[in-house]
Amino acid sequence: MTALGVRAAGLLAALDCCRIPGLTDAEFDRIEAQYDIEFADDHRDFLATGLPVESPREEGQTWKQPWPDWRNGDPATLRAHLDWETDFVVDLVRDGHWESRWGNRPATPHDAVGAFRRRLRAAAPMVPIYAHRYVPGGRGTTGSPVLSMYGFDIICYGTDLLNYVVREFAEPLSAEWRPPKIAFWGRYLKGD
């Protein structure tokens, strides 16, 4: 296991904010096959060390279950969580959002969505960690930033998984912190 994922899960357990029994290799195989995803190595190690599933409801919290319950979660709910950000930005494109750097906008909303989805396929798939906090997926990857994603309003919440857990659950973000660079999604980071 990578030290980063293990340390992040250990810190989360020490903060006593949720119950975290870890996923097995067989569970990872089932999840990745069922949802056609690959967890980043440190995210996988984090979830193998402990799967956060229970946390106290906070005032103003928008997600009923912010931690994806990869073990026992309702498949439709997990699919919706996985697709939430992509569906959001596709809807924005359908409704007229278009970046000039993408070239000329196709004539119809349908064609614009198709062109955008082709661009999106080249980006790393985003896998939810907590509510609308995502990390790029993919085996063989580690140390990726954790992004808070709400359409094209994207904020870097941690330089990596451990840094994210510290910032989200133990220490607030500081004003002088600079987010790392990340392909495609990084263009939308606030403050860049």
Side-chain angles (χ1 to χ4, degrees):
M1 289 191 190
T2 63
L4 185 66
V6 172
R7 288 176 51 206
L11 175 60
L12 196 59
L15 292 170
D16 197 29
C17 68
C18 49
R19 185 176 60 86
I20 56 169
L23 292 175
T24 66
D25 286 339
E27 288 174 312
F28 277 113
D29 291 344
R30 176 190 57 81
I31 294 161
E32 290 181 332
Q34 182 175 354
Y35 297 102
D36 192 28
I37 60 171
E38 289 183 345
F39 291 99
D41 292 352
D42 48 358
H43 191 189
R44 184 181 177 102
D45 291 342
F46 173 77
L47 295 172
T49 302
L51 174 66
V53 293
E54 296 176 5
S55 57
R57 185 100 171 128
E58 295 180 17
E59 186 177 330
Q61 185 173 314
T62 57
W63 292 73
K64 182 177 178 183
Q65 179 58 41
W67 295 105
D69 185 352
W70 298 108
R71 176 178 287 124
N72 298 313
D74 171 62
T77 300
L78 286 169
R79 173 51 58 200
H81 202 159
L82 278 161
D83 294 343
W84 185 80
E85 173 61 19
T86 301
D87 291 347
F88 195 146
V89 294
V90 164
D91 285 345
L92 292 172
V93 168
R94 182 179 295 112
D95 293 342
H97 180 90
W98 193 259
E99 303 281 326
S100 61
R101 67 176 162 253
W102 299 343
N104 293 329
R105 179 179 169 89
T108 69
H110 179 268
D111 290 341
V113 166
F116 179 71
R117 283 192 183 277
R118 284 189 293 280
R119 287 186 161 281
L120 207 50
R121 278 194 287 275
M126 301 306 285
V127 179
I129 293 178
Y130 177 83
H132 54 92
R133 312 295 192 257
Y134 291 79
V135 67
R139 292 240 176 97
T141 60
T142 188
S144 296
V146 175
L147 304 178
S148 175
M149 304 178 80
Y150 194 82
F152 290 107
D153 182 10
I154 300 174
I155 301 167
C156 189
Y157 257 55
T159 56
D160 56 40
L161 187 56
L162 178 59
N163 183 255
Y164 161 71
V165 170
V166 168
R167 291 181 178 283
E168 179 84 40
F169 299 100
E171 300 172 10
L173 288 168
S174 65
E176 59 275 352
W177 183 71
R178 296 288 301 152
K181 301 292 182 195
I182 181 170
F184 185 82
W185 296 107
R187 295 180 198 128
Y188 302 98
L189 286 172
K190 302 304 177 209
D192 260 4

